[in-house]
Amino acid sequence: MKLLYFAHLRTKIGTAEEQLDLPPGIGDVAALLEFLKGRGPKFADALGNRKAVRVAVNQTYVGWDHPLKPGDEVAIFPPVTGG
Amino acid sequence: MIRVQPEDFDVGAEIEALTRGKTGIGGVASFVGLMRDVAGDKSISAMTLEHYPGMTERELERIEAEAQRRWPLIASLVIHRYGRMLPGDRIVLVATASAHRAAAFESCEFLMDYLKTKAPFWKQEETPEGARWVAADASDDAAASRWTKE
């Protein structure tokens, strides 16, 4: 799957985009975020406060229990501040 | 109609183009968002708007379709810029046209409230102490949530 990070999550994590083979046992958004937080302090810092994280799968907002499949485009970003 | 672009826009020309030939329109409401040179007690010298190409357009189209479902609009337009901007620059234009003013006023406000809480844009401000990402404002969520009340 393709992972995208935006705004201050992008700057904290230090990358805008990466390819990830969906790890075994990671079935939904919540599990993916837990997996990513376990990758190191930069990820734990960026994703630690769940209230400050929004997720879109294939460019549509989803909840934490949204199922994931290989090939999904998963975007992780902070609450939006446009307008 | 939705446009996401780095370029500035001409408000008068956009409204003229939006309404031309549609003589059932009785009123147009518009909102123009500008870049401020101050946020709280900090002076801001410039701002960069990041967005999520693809999803931004999808969300704006979804929000516009929702406005058209809720109000009898004859025409509507959302233009949102991205990239680096300076104080006084135009950031966003929302214009709504209807036979009567109430639908135009209300839908224009609805579009701005939803855009601010749903469209994937993020502002980074340049302050004397360096660049900082703008935090989401809870009052924007409150403004958007009033449209979901009965």
Side-chain angles (χ1 to χ4, degrees):
Chain A
M1 62 174 45
K2 182 156 92 174
L3 295 180
L4 300 173
Y5 308 103
F6 289 96
H8 81 252
L9 299 190
R10 172 176 59 74
T11 49
K12 277 185 177 174
I13 289 169
T15 187
E17 182 176 335
E18 63 172 313
Q19 290 290 333
L20 179 78
D21 291 329
L22 194 60
I26 306 294
D28 64 14
V29 167
L32 175 67
L33 288 181
E34 285 307 309
F35 167 79
L36 292 174
K37 277 160 64 180
R39 284 166 127 192
K42 284 192 292 187
F43 282 91
D45 179 42
L47 306 175
N49 179 8
R50 207 183 255 203
K51 283 184 181 163
V53 174
R54 301 286 180 273
V55 177
V57 172
N58 301 325
Q59 304 188 352
T60 300
Y61 283 105
V62 297
W64 305 111
D65 59 353
H66 184 83
L68 295 173
K69 58 185 188 307
D72 279 343
E73 176 176 299
V74 181
I76 303 173
F77 49 80
V80 301
T81 56
Chain B
M1 192 170 51
I2 293 299
R3 290 206 329 255
V4 180
Q5 63 186 44
E7 301 84 19
D8 189 20
F9 47 83
D10 178 329
V11 176
E14 295 296 345
I15 291 176
E16 166 64 24
L18 185 71
T19 56
R20 190 176 299 136
K22 302 186 183 90
T23 46
I25 292 173
V28 181
S30 65
F31 177 88
V32 181
L34 303 178
M35 195 211 141
R36 274 193 313 268
D37 65 358
V38 65
D41 57 351
K42 292 269 193 299
S43 71
I44 311 295
S45 56
M47 186 179 80
T48 300
L49 265 153
E50 178 171 326
H51 79 300
Y52 179 179
M55 182 171 173
T56 306
E57 289 83 353
R58 285 175 65 140
E59 275 300 304
L60 291 177
E61 281 166 6
R62 192 182 62 76
I63 294 163
E64 185 186 44
E66 177 64 18
Q68 288 175 351
R69 192 183 67 76
R70 291 189 184 205
W71 287 276
L73 298 180
I74 296 170
S76 57
L77 173 67
V78 178
I79 302 176
H80 203 304
R81 294 177 64 198
Y82 61 91
R84 190 164 183 271
M85 275 158 245
L86 299 173
D89 283 356
R90 286 173 282 272
I91 303 170
V92 60
L93 168 67
V94 171
T96 49
S98 189
H100 302 285
R101 71 181 182 283
F105 276 131
E106 288 172 15
S107 60
C108 186
E109 203 168 5
F110 167 87
L111 280 167
M112 271 311 300
D113 286 346
Y114 264 68
L115 179 159
K116 284 192 81 84
T117 53
K118 294 292 183 191
F121 287 98
W122 302 274
K123 289 174 178 158
Q124 189 180 47
E125 296 170 335
E126 295 173 30
T127 76
E129 290 85 47
R132 63 169 187 193
W133 289 100
V134 173
D137 187 340
S139 69
D140 289 332
D141 289 325
S145 70
R146 71 199 157 120
W147 298 104
T148 59
K149 287 173 191 155
E150 288 302 311

Tab-separated table of all heavy atoms in Angstrom, chain A residues 16-73:
chain	number	residue	atom	x	y	z
A	16	ALA	N	7.345	12.147	3.038
A	16	ALA	CA	6.010	12.488	2.554
A	16	ALA	C	5.253	11.252	2.076
A	16	ALA	O	4.030	11.221	2.076
A	16	ALA	CB	6.104	13.499	1.414
A	17	GLU	N	6.013	10.224	1.673
A	17	GLU	CA	5.363	9.089	1.002
A	17	GLU	C	6.233	7.851	1.147
A	17	GLU	O	7.457	7.937	1.109
A	17	GLU	CB	5.213	9.445	-0.479
A	17	GLU	CG	4.513	8.396	-1.298
A	17	GLU	CD	4.308	8.842	-2.753
A	17	GLU	OE1	4.269	10.054	-3.026
A	17	GLU	OE2	4.208	7.954	-3.607
A	18	GLU	N	5.610	6.701	1.324
A	18	GLU	CA	6.364	5.449	1.324
A	18	GLU	C	5.457	4.300	0.870
A	18	GLU	O	4.240	4.388	0.956
A	18	GLU	CB	6.933	5.149	2.716
A	18	GLU	CG	5.881	4.936	3.779
A	18	GLU	CD	6.471	4.458	5.104
A	18	GLU	OE1	7.296	3.522	5.076
A	18	GLU	OE2	6.108	4.999	6.153
A	19	GLN	N	6.095	3.261	0.380
A	19	GLN	CA	5.377	2.035	0.034
A	19	GLN	C	5.536	1.064	1.194
A	19	GLN	O	6.620	0.935	1.756
A	19	GLN	CB	5.968	1.403	-1.234
A	19	GLN	CG	5.689	2.195	-2.503
A	19	GLN	CD	4.229	2.171	-2.933
A	19	GLN	OE1	3.502	1.220	-2.634
A	19	GLN	NE2	3.795	3.207	-3.635
A	20	LEU	N	4.443	0.399	1.560
A	20	LEU	CA	4.498	-0.545	2.674
A	20	LEU	C	3.733	-1.809	2.286
A	20	LEU	O	2.594	-1.725	1.815
A	20	LEU	CB	3.848	0.089	3.915
A	20	LEU	CG	3.795	-0.780	5.169
A	20	LEU	CD1	5.166	-0.800	5.850
A	20	LEU	CD2	2.747	-0.259	6.158
A	21	ASP	N	4.377	-2.947	2.456
A	21	ASP	CA	3.633	-4.205	2.303
A	21	ASP	C	2.817	-4.391	3.574
A	21	ASP	O	3.379	-4.380	4.671
A	21	ASP	CB	4.595	-5.378	2.102
A	21	ASP	CG	5.285	-5.304	0.745
A	21	ASP	OD1	4.662	-4.791	-0.206
A	21	ASP	OD2	6.440	-5.734	0.650
A	22	LEU	N	1.519	-4.518	3.416
A	22	LEU	CA	0.635	-4.622	4.575
A	22	LEU	C	1.099	-5.779	5.460
A	22	LEU	O	1.090	-6.940	5.041
A	22	LEU	CB	-0.800	-4.841	4.095
A	22	LEU	CG	-1.919	-4.652	5.122
A	22	LEU	CD1	-1.916	-3.223	5.668
A	22	LEU	CD2	-3.270	-4.960	4.489
A	23	PRO	N	1.566	-5.466	6.691
A	23	PRO	CA	2.085	-6.543	7.548
A	23	PRO	C	0.976	-7.516	7.940
A	23	PRO	O	-0.182	-7.106	8.059
A	23	PRO	CB	2.611	-5.788	8.775
A	23	PRO	CG	2.719	-4.364	8.362
A	23	PRO	CD	1.663	-4.153	7.325
A	24	PRO	N	1.326	-8.797	8.134
A	24	PRO	CA	0.316	-9.778	8.527
A	24	PRO	C	-0.364	-9.355	9.826
A	24	PRO	O	0.290	-8.821	10.720
A	24	PRO	CB	1.119	-11.074	8.741
A	24	PRO	CG	2.448	-10.843	8.116
A	24	PRO	CD	2.675	-9.372	8.049
A	25	GLY	N	-1.656	-9.542	9.894
A	25	GLY	CA	-2.376	-9.231	11.125
A	25	GLY	C	-2.835	-7.792	11.236
A	25	GLY	O	-3.518	-7.431	12.187
A	26	ILE	N	-2.428	-6.955	10.274
A	26	ILE	CA	-2.868	-5.552	10.294
A	26	ILE	C	-4.101	-5.455	9.407
A	26	ILE	O	-3.999	-5.392	8.183
A	26	ILE	CB	-1.765	-4.604	9.777
A	26	ILE	CG1	-0.466	-4.797	10.542
A	26	ILE	CG2	-2.235	-3.150	9.834
A	26	ILE	CD1	-0.498	-4.411	11.988
A	27	GLY	N	-5.258	-5.407	10.038
A	27	GLY	CA	-6.497	-5.485	9.259
A	27	GLY	C	-7.252	-4.190	9.133
A	27	GLY	O	-8.100	-4.042	8.255
A	28	ASP	N	-6.952	-3.232	10.014
A	28	ASP	CA	-7.704	-1.979	9.935
A	28	ASP	C	-6.801	-0.784	10.253
A	28	ASP	O	-5.612	-0.941	10.553
A	28	ASP	CB	-8.958	-2.013	10.820
A	28	ASP	CG	-8.622	-2.140	12.309
A	28	ASP	OD1	-7.449	-1.937	12.697
A	28	ASP	OD2	-9.549	-2.455	13.087
A	29	VAL	N	-7.397	0.399	10.185
A	29	VAL	CA	-6.639	1.634	10.352
A	29	VAL	C	-6.007	1.717	11.741
A	29	VAL	O	-4.837	2.085	11.886
A	29	VAL	CB	-7.567	2.851	10.088
A	29	VAL	CG1	-6.930	4.152	10.557
A	29	VAL	CG2	-7.916	2.924	8.611
A	30	ALA	N	-6.763	1.351	12.769
A	30	ALA	CA	-6.231	1.423	14.136
A	30	ALA	C	-4.991	0.542	14.272
A	30	ALA	O	-3.990	0.944	14.877
A	30	ALA	CB	-7.298	1.006	15.139
A	31	ALA	N	-5.042	-0.651	13.719
A	31	ALA	CA	-3.901	-1.575	13.816
A	31	ALA	C	-2.698	-1.037	13.040
A	31	ALA	O	-1.555	-1.168	13.485
A	31	ALA	CB	-4.301	-2.950	13.290
A	32	LEU	N	-2.963	-0.409	11.891
A	32	LEU	CA	-1.862	0.175	11.120
A	32	LEU	C	-1.175	1.291	11.910
A	32	LEU	O	0.052	1.374	11.957
A	32	LEU	CB	-2.381	0.723	9.783
A	32	LEU	CG	-1.336	1.471	8.944
A	32	LEU	CD1	-0.242	0.521	8.447
A	32	LEU	CD2	-1.987	2.184	7.763
A	33	LEU	N	-1.977	2.157	12.548
A	33	LEU	CA	-1.388	3.258	13.319
A	33	LEU	C	-0.562	2.715	14.486
A	33	LEU	O	0.521	3.243	14.776
A	33	LEU	CB	-2.484	4.203	13.824
A	33	LEU	CG	-3.140	5.082	12.751
A	33	LEU	CD1	-4.180	5.993	13.373
A	33	LEU	CD2	-2.110	5.918	12.003
A	34	GLU	N	-1.053	1.663	15.146
A	34	GLU	CA	-0.274	1.059	16.236
A	34	GLU	C	1.043	0.503	15.702
A	34	GLU	O	2.096	0.671	16.310
A	34	GLU	CB	-1.089	-0.049	16.928
A	34	GLU	CG	-2.185	0.474	17.824
A	34	GLU	CD	-1.685	1.502	18.850
A	34	GLU	OE1	-0.689	1.209	19.550
A	34	GLU	OE2	-2.265	2.593	18.919
A	35	PHE	N	0.972	-0.167	14.551
A	35	PHE	CA	2.185	-0.714	13.926
A	35	PHE	C	3.178	0.411	13.613
A	35	PHE	O	4.371	0.310	13.915
A	35	PHE	CB	1.798	-1.465	12.645
A	35	PHE	CG	2.978	-1.798	11.766
A	35	PHE	CD1	3.804	-2.879	12.059
A	35	PHE	CD2	3.270	-1.012	10.647
A	35	PHE	CE1	4.899	-3.177	11.256
A	35	PHE	CE2	4.360	-1.311	9.846
A	35	PHE	CZ	5.184	-2.392	10.143
A	36	LEU	N	2.675	1.511	13.030
A	36	LEU	CA	3.563	2.615	12.656
A	36	LEU	C	4.184	3.272	13.892
A	36	LEU	O	5.368	3.614	13.890
A	36	LEU	CB	2.796	3.661	11.830
A	36	LEU	CG	2.341	3.216	10.436
A	36	LEU	CD1	1.462	4.296	9.797
A	36	LEU	CD2	3.530	2.905	9.532
A	37	LYS	N	3.398	3.416	14.954
A	37	LYS	CA	3.921	4.022	16.189
A	37	LYS	C	5.076	3.199	16.757
A	37	LYS	O	5.986	3.740	17.390
A	37	LYS	CB	2.815	4.142	17.237
A	37	LYS	CG	1.962	5.383	17.051
A	37	LYS	CD	0.616	5.274	17.733
A	37	LYS	CE	0.707	5.160	19.240
A	37	LYS	NZ	-0.649	5.051	19.822
A	38	GLY	N	5.042	1.887	16.509
A	38	GLY	CA	6.088	1.011	17.011
A	38	GLY	C	7.386	1.063	16.215
A	38	GLY	O	8.371	0.415	16.576
A	39	ARG	N	7.400	1.852	15.132
A	39	ARG	CA	8.604	1.910	14.297
A	39	ARG	C	9.697	2.814	14.861
A	39	ARG	O	10.812	2.801	14.352
A	39	ARG	CB	8.237	2.424	12.902
A	39	ARG	CG	7.554	1.414	12.039
A	39	ARG	CD	6.970	2.168	10.868
A	39	ARG	NE	7.372	1.614	9.589
A	39	ARG	CZ	7.171	2.248	8.426
A	39	ARG	NH1	6.624	3.443	8.425
A	39	ARG	NH2	7.523	1.684	7.314
A	40	GLY	N	9.374	3.637	15.846
A	40	GLY	CA	10.417	4.490	16.399
A	40	GLY	C	9.852	5.769	16.969
A	40	GLY	O	8.662	6.053	16.829
A	41	PRO	N	10.721	6.552	17.613
A	41	PRO	CA	10.263	7.756	18.325
A	41	PRO	C	9.623	8.804	17.413
A	41	PRO	O	8.690	9.487	17.824
A	41	PRO	CB	11.539	8.299	18.983
A	41	PRO	CG	12.676	7.556	18.381
A	41	PRO	CD	12.150	6.278	17.823
A	42	LYS	N	10.120	8.947	16.177
A	42	LYS	CA	9.531	9.953	15.287
A	42	LYS	C	8.071	9.617	14.992
A	42	LYS	O	7.191	10.469	15.005
A	42	LYS	CB	10.319	10.020	13.966
A	42	LYS	CG	11.643	10.748	14.105
A	42	LYS	CD	12.265	11.073	12.752
A	42	LYS	CE	12.717	9.823	12.026
A	42	LYS	NZ	13.472	10.142	10.797
A	43	PHE	N	7.822	8.325	14.722
A	43	PHE	CA	6.442	7.888	14.448
A	43	PHE	C	5.589	7.973	15.707
A	43	PHE	O	4.434	8.409	15.663
A	43	PHE	CB	6.437	6.459	13.898
A	43	PHE	CG	6.817	6.380	12.460
A	43	PHE	CD1	8.137	6.200	12.080
A	43	PHE	CD2	5.852	6.502	11.469
A	43	PHE	CE1	8.493	6.141	10.744
A	43	PHE	CE2	6.197	6.440	10.123
A	43	PHE	CZ	7.529	6.254	9.760
A	44	ALA	N	6.157	7.554	16.843
A	44	ALA	CA	5.396	7.576	18.097
A	44	ALA	C	5.008	9.010	18.446
A	44	ALA	O	3.887	9.280	18.894
A	44	ALA	CB	6.225	6.952	19.215
A	45	ASP	N	5.931	9.944	18.209
A	45	ASP	CA	5.658	11.349	18.499
A	45	ASP	C	4.581	11.897	17.568
A	45	ASP	O	3.630	12.558	17.993
A	45	ASP	CB	6.966	12.153	18.343
A	45	ASP	CG	6.749	13.636	18.596
A	45	ASP	OD1	6.024	13.968	19.550
A	45	ASP	OD2	7.298	14.452	17.840
A	46	ALA	N	4.703	11.598	16.281
A	46	ALA	CA	3.765	12.143	15.295
A	46	ALA	C	2.356	11.582	15.469
A	46	ALA	O	1.372	12.291	15.290
A	46	ALA	CB	4.275	11.857	13.884
A	47	LEU	N	2.277	10.297	15.815
A	47	LEU	CA	0.978	9.613	15.801
A	47	LEU	C	0.436	9.325	17.194
A	47	LEU	O	-0.603	8.680	17.345
A	47	LEU	CB	1.108	8.284	15.026
A	47	LEU	CG	1.688	8.420	13.611
A	47	LEU	CD1	1.888	7.052	12.977
A	47	LEU	CD2	0.776	9.274	12.738
A	48	GLY	N	1.153	9.802	18.236
A	48	GLY	CA	0.798	9.445	19.615
A	48	GLY	C	-0.569	9.934	20.055
A	48	GLY	O	-1.283	9.235	20.769
A	49	ASN	N	-0.944	11.143	19.630
A	49	ASN	CA	-2.229	11.700	20.044
A	49	ASN	C	-3.276	11.434	18.953
A	49	ASN	O	-3.348	12.142	17.955
A	49	ASN	CB	-2.094	13.201	20.299
A	49	ASN	CG	-3.414	13.833	20.698
A	49	ASN	OD1	-4.406	13.138	20.927
A	49	ASN	ND2	-3.433	15.152	20.773
A	50	ARG	N	-4.082	10.429	19.186
A	50	ARG	CA	-5.012	9.997	18.162
A	50	ARG	C	-6.029	11.073	17.795
A	50	ARG	O	-6.511	11.135	16.668
A	50	ARG	CB	-5.732	8.740	18.661
A	50	ARG	CG	-6.202	7.849	17.559
A	50	ARG	CD	-6.959	6.696	18.120
A	50	ARG	NE	-6.164	5.483	18.080
A	50	ARG	CZ	-6.729	4.266	18.092
A	50	ARG	NH1	-8.031	4.138	18.183
A	50	ARG	NH2	-5.985	3.204	18.032
A	51	LYS	N	-6.337	11.944	18.772
A	51	LYS	CA	-7.306	13.018	18.494
A	51	LYS	C	-6.753	14.014	17.474
A	51	LYS	O	-7.498	14.777	16.877
A	51	LYS	CB	-7.650	13.761	19.784
A	51	LYS	CG	-8.609	12.992	20.670
A	51	LYS	CD	-8.989	13.819	21.877
A	51	LYS	CE	-9.932	13.018	22.772
A	51	LYS	NZ	-10.023	13.595	24.116
A	52	ALA	N	-5.448	14.035	17.308
A	52	ALA	CA	-4.822	14.989	16.393
A	52	ALA	C	-4.430	14.319	15.073
A	52	ALA	O	-3.621	14.850	14.326
A	52	ALA	CB	-3.609	15.621	17.043
A	53	VAL	N	-5.004	13.140	14.813
A	53	VAL	CA	-4.674	12.405	13.592
A	53	VAL	C	-5.958	12.115	12.813
A	53	VAL	O	-6.951	11.669	13.382
A	53	VAL	CB	-3.950	11.082	13.936
A	53	VAL	CG1	-3.737	10.247	12.675
A	53	VAL	CG2	-2.613	11.356	14.623
A	54	ARG	N	-5.914	12.416	11.514
A	54	ARG	CA	-7.018	12.063	10.619
A	54	ARG	C	-6.477	11.085	9.583
A	54	ARG	O	-5.301	11.162	9.200
A	54	ARG	CB	-7.559	13.302	9.893
A	54	ARG	CG	-8.077	14.387	10.820
A	54	ARG	CD	-9.410	14.025	11.448
A	54	ARG	NE	-9.887	15.072	12.336
A	54	ARG	CZ	-9.567	15.181	13.622
A	54	ARG	NH1	-8.747	14.316	14.185
A	54	ARG	NH2	-10.060	16.161	14.368
A	55	VAL	N	-7.353	10.183	9.109
A	55	VAL	CA	-6.926	9.184	8.134
A	55	VAL	C	-7.913	9.157	6.972
A	55	VAL	O	-9.134	9.200	7.179
A	55	VAL	CB	-6.827	7.790	8.785
A	55	VAL	CG1	-6.458	6.742	7.738
A	55	VAL	CG2	-5.793	7.796	9.917
A	56	ALA	N	-7.363	9.124	5.761
A	56	ALA	CA	-8.191	8.929	4.572
A	56	ALA	C	-7.669	7.699	3.836
A	56	ALA	O	-6.453	7.525	3.710
A	56	ALA	CB	-8.114	10.150	3.658
A	57	VAL	N	-8.563	6.840	3.400
A	57	VAL	CA	-8.191	5.688	2.592
A	57	VAL	C	-8.771	5.899	1.200
A	57	VAL	O	-9.976	6.163	1.054
A	57	VAL	CB	-8.695	4.370	3.212
A	57	VAL	CG1	-8.463	3.207	2.254
A	57	VAL	CG2	-7.986	4.113	4.540
A	58	ASN	N	-7.899	5.834	0.214
A	58	ASN	CA	-8.285	6.094	-1.171
A	58	ASN	C	-9.035	7.427	-1.296
A	58	ASN	O	-10.053	7.535	-1.974
A	58	ASN	CB	-9.081	4.924	-1.740
A	58	ASN	CG	-8.278	3.635	-1.681
A	58	ASN	OD1	-7.053	3.647	-1.846
A	58	ASN	ND2	-8.935	2.526	-1.389
A	59	GLN	N	-8.490	8.415	-0.559
A	59	GLN	CA	-8.931	9.812	-0.644
A	59	GLN	C	-10.318	10.056	-0.068
A	59	GLN	O	-10.993	11.023	-0.441
A	59	GLN	CB	-8.826	10.324	-2.092
A	59	GLN	CG	-7.411	10.155	-2.647
A	59	GLN	CD	-7.206	10.819	-3.988
A	59	GLN	OE1	-8.129	11.303	-4.605
A	59	GLN	NE2	-5.951	10.846	-4.433
A	60	THR	N	-10.747	9.195	0.853
A	60	THR	CA	-11.999	9.412	1.572
A	60	THR	C	-11.734	9.257	3.071
A	60	THR	O	-11.058	8.309	3.480
A	60	THR	CB	-13.063	8.380	1.139
A	60	THR	OG1	-13.296	8.530	-0.265
A	60	THR	CG2	-14.376	8.588	1.872
A	61	TYR	N	-12.270	10.192	3.881
A	61	TYR	CA	-12.114	10.079	5.333
A	61	TYR	C	-12.671	8.753	5.832
A	61	TYR	O	-13.744	8.314	5.389
A	61	TYR	CB	-12.879	11.195	6.044
A	61	TYR	CG	-12.205	12.547	6.006
A	61	TYR	CD1	-12.674	13.545	5.175
A	61	TYR	CD2	-11.116	12.818	6.821
A	61	TYR	CE1	-12.069	14.801	5.148
A	61	TYR	CE2	-10.505	14.057	6.802
A	61	TYR	CZ	-10.975	15.045	5.964
A	61	TYR	OH	-10.370	16.269	5.938
A	62	VAL	N	-11.946	8.109	6.747
A	62	VAL	CA	-12.427	6.848	7.329
A	62	VAL	C	-12.233	6.888	8.843
A	62	VAL	O	-11.478	7.702	9.375
A	62	VAL	CB	-11.670	5.630	6.758
A	62	VAL	CG1	-11.901	5.494	5.257
A	62	VAL	CG2	-10.195	5.697	7.090
A	63	GLY	N	-12.914	5.958	9.513
A	63	GLY	CA	-12.763	5.802	10.960
A	63	GLY	C	-11.682	4.781	11.278
A	63	GLY	O	-11.094	4.156	10.386
A	64	TRP	N	-11.427	4.614	12.578
A	64	TRP	CA	-10.330	3.740	13.024
A	64	TRP	C	-10.571	2.275	12.678
A	64	TRP	O	-9.626	1.494	12.567
A	64	TRP	CB	-10.117	3.878	14.529
A	64	TRP	CG	-9.881	5.298	14.922
A	64	TRP	CD1	-10.709	6.099	15.646
A	64	TRP	CD2	-8.750	6.117	14.564
A	64	TRP	NE1	-10.161	7.367	15.756
A	64	TRP	CE2	-8.969	7.393	15.117
A	64	TRP	CE3	-7.583	5.870	13.837
A	64	TRP	CZ2	-8.056	8.434	14.952
A	64	TRP	CZ3	-6.672	6.903	13.678
A	64	TRP	CH2	-6.921	8.167	14.236
A	65	ASP	N	-11.836	1.898	12.520
A	65	ASP	CA	-12.139	0.478	12.270
A	65	ASP	C	-12.256	0.173	10.769
A	65	ASP	O	-12.657	-0.925	10.388
A	65	ASP	CB	-13.428	0.071	12.997
A	65	ASP	CG	-14.620	0.911	12.559
A	65	ASP	OD1	-14.422	1.899	11.794
A	65	ASP	OD2	-15.746	0.592	12.974
A	66	HIS	N	-11.879	1.124	9.930
A	66	HIS	CA	-11.986	0.901	8.483
A	66	HIS	C	-11.007	-0.200	8.042
A	66	HIS	O	-9.818	-0.128	8.340
A	66	HIS	CB	-11.683	2.193	7.734
A	66	HIS	CG	-11.864	2.090	6.248
A	66	HIS	ND1	-13.092	2.233	5.645
A	66	HIS	CD2	-10.984	1.811	5.257
A	66	HIS	CE1	-12.946	2.074	4.333
A	66	HIS	NE2	-11.682	1.815	4.075
A	67	PRO	N	-11.470	-1.211	7.334
A	67	PRO	CA	-10.575	-2.304	6.912
A	67	PRO	C	-9.593	-1.852	5.830
A	67	PRO	O	-9.889	-0.965	5.038
A	67	PRO	CB	-11.547	-3.355	6.357
A	67	PRO	CG	-12.767	-2.602	5.967
A	67	PRO	CD	-12.860	-1.424	6.905
A	68	LEU	N	-8.425	-2.461	5.834
A	68	LEU	CA	-7.382	-2.135	4.855
A	68	LEU	C	-7.109	-3.328	3.961
A	68	LEU	O	-7.266	-4.477	4.371
A	68	LEU	CB	-6.090	-1.753	5.582
A	68	LEU	CG	-6.157	-0.472	6.420
A	68	LEU	CD1	-4.870	-0.298	7.210
A	68	LEU	CD2	-6.429	0.738	5.538
A	69	LYS	N	-6.696	-3.023	2.731
A	69	LYS	CA	-6.323	-4.088	1.808
A	69	LYS	C	-5.091	-3.646	1.010
A	69	LYS	O	-4.835	-2.441	0.878
A	69	LYS	CB	-7.488	-4.437	0.879
A	69	LYS	CG	-7.994	-3.285	0.058
A	69	LYS	CD	-9.218	-3.690	-0.745
A	69	LYS	CE	-9.637	-2.606	-1.735
A	69	LYS	NZ	-9.826	-1.276	-1.162
A	70	PRO	N	-4.346	-4.609	0.480
A	70	PRO	CA	-3.165	-4.246	-0.306
A	70	PRO	C	-3.577	-3.326	-1.467
A	70	PRO	O	-4.639	-3.508	-2.057
A	70	PRO	CB	-2.654	-5.591	-0.835
A	70	PRO	CG	-3.205	-6.609	0.112
A	70	PRO	CD	-4.541	-6.071	0.555
A	71	GLY	N	-2.740	-2.352	-1.764
A	71	GLY	CA	-3.048	-1.433	-2.854
A	71	GLY	C	-3.764	-0.174	-2.419
A	71	GLY	O	-3.896	0.764	-3.204
A	72	ASP	N	-4.232	-0.142	-1.164
A	72	ASP	CA	-4.888	1.078	-0.674
A	72	ASP	C	-3.906	2.237	-0.629
A	72	ASP	O	-2.712	2.047	-0.377
A	72	ASP	CB	-5.438	0.870	0.744
A	72	ASP	CG	-6.778	0.139	0.745
A	72	ASP	OD1	-7.426	0.073	-0.317
A	72	ASP	OD2	-7.156	-0.358	1.820
A	73	GLU	N	-4.438	3.447	-0.850
A	73	GLU	CA	-3.678	4.670	-0.593
A	73	GLU	C	-4.157	5.209	0.754
A	73	GLU	O	-5.315	5.588	0.893
A	73	GLU	CB	-3.941	5.695	-1.699
A	73	GLU	CG	-3.255	7.042	-1.463
A	73	GLU	CD	-3.444	8.012	-2.630
A	73	GLU	OE1	-3.003	7.681	-3.748
A	73	GLU	OE2	-4.055	9.078	-2.420
